[in-house]
Amino acid sequence: MRGFFDRRQVLHAPERELHNGGYMAYAESPARAEAVAAALPGLEVPEDRGEAPILAVHDAAYIAFLKRVPQLWADAGRSGDATGYVWPVVGRRPLNLSRVDALIGQYSFDASTPITPDSWTSAYWASQCALAATHAVLAGERTAFALCRPPGHHAGADYCGGYCYLNHAAIAAQAARDAGKARVAILDIDYHHGNGTQDIFLDRDDVFYASIHADPATDYPFFWGHADERGEGAGAGATRNLPLPRGTDLAPYREALACALDAIAAFGPELLIVSLGVDTYAGDRISFFGIETDDYAVLARDIAARGWPSAILMEGGYTVEAIGANVRTFLDAF
Ligand code: Q9C
Ligand code: ZN
């Protein structure tokens, strides 16, 4: 299987994150990508397709913000990573604010995406990997892999959050639509609900979004991913959420996966994008499912058996010692 990765994706290295009331070392580390790359010999450097496919999903003002924040942060006399502390949830209305702290509040939804001088560069190349894998599949490969890092599924059209700055799965799906594929499905099997991906396609009927994740009643991102979120307007019925309790292991996970795959089959996609998070792993540092390394082969075969041309994009997975084996096991079986 062809796979894509660019060395510039490890430049982004925030120092710390707010976690359960204190700071801890940033879990979404460059070492994650290094470990996956070490387990997958032969990854290719993606072609540079420019910003146009990114701007087909993300607002131009948000992209300008990502590029500009490090300079604004320095101009304000700050050191360290740019992080916000005010989010306009209450009484939100359009304002033309320019202070960096206000802009971070406007363009993010949580404190998990510090912005460093390298964040844009690393996220940009992660998107290029997703595009390279997608175009490989559009050109006739049955499957291709993109080592996207930083990940993407929590990022919306005009916001970052949850370690995500650019939504690579959405960018890939939109590129496939623009290349003439009428119906694209995204299957999100990261431990966390992909609120950004859902938000981007919520009111559309051309991109189906199905997600299996920890119940947001107990787990991040809390406010999205509940079973009653099924799409809006033209997109009514084109979103499917399958929340599962903490402690879920292979057997119940496979039942949910069969439901998601049946829903995707009823939609009839011409291309499948898999948002692959291996933070469902039993030993994950920040998550609470019970999927073992060998189980990833079972899940991969369940998905591959449906026969859809598939681009597989990396999302989460935070136990660096296991992430390579988990991804490799999934891809080998696929
Ligand atoms: N105390 C992905 O797996 N931090 N994002 C939560 C909980 C954010 C996970 C802190 C977790 C985001 C792509
Ligand atoms: Zn996750």
Side-chain angles (χ1 to χ4, degrees), residues 41-119:
L43 293 176
E44 303 168 47
V45 174
E47 188 182 316
D48 186 356
R49 292 182 158 80
E51 288 184 18
I54 296 171
L55 290 166
V57 165
H58 290 283
D59 286 10
Y62 170 64
I63 297 303
F65 156 84
L66 285 180
K67 294 181 192 173
R68 201 156 60 94
V69 161
Q71 189 59 54
L72 293 175
W73 191 253
D75 290 349
R78 311 284 176 73
S79 61
D81 305 332
T83 43
Y85 61 88
V86 179
W87 285 272
V89 176
V90 181
R92 180 159 39 189
R93 64 193 176 94
L95 291 167
N96 223 333
L97 299 168
S98 57
R99 187 169 144 176
V100 66
D101 309 282
L103 290 173
I104 295 172
Q106 180 178 333
Y107 290 114
S108 61
F109 72 90
D110 74 0
S112 314
T113 43
I115 298 171
T116 78
D118 296 313
S119 299

Side-chain angles (χ1 to χ4, degrees), residues 153-154 190-192 279 316 318:
H153 73 155
H154 297 299
D190 186 275
Y191 178 82
H192 306 95
D279 42 8
Y318 303 100

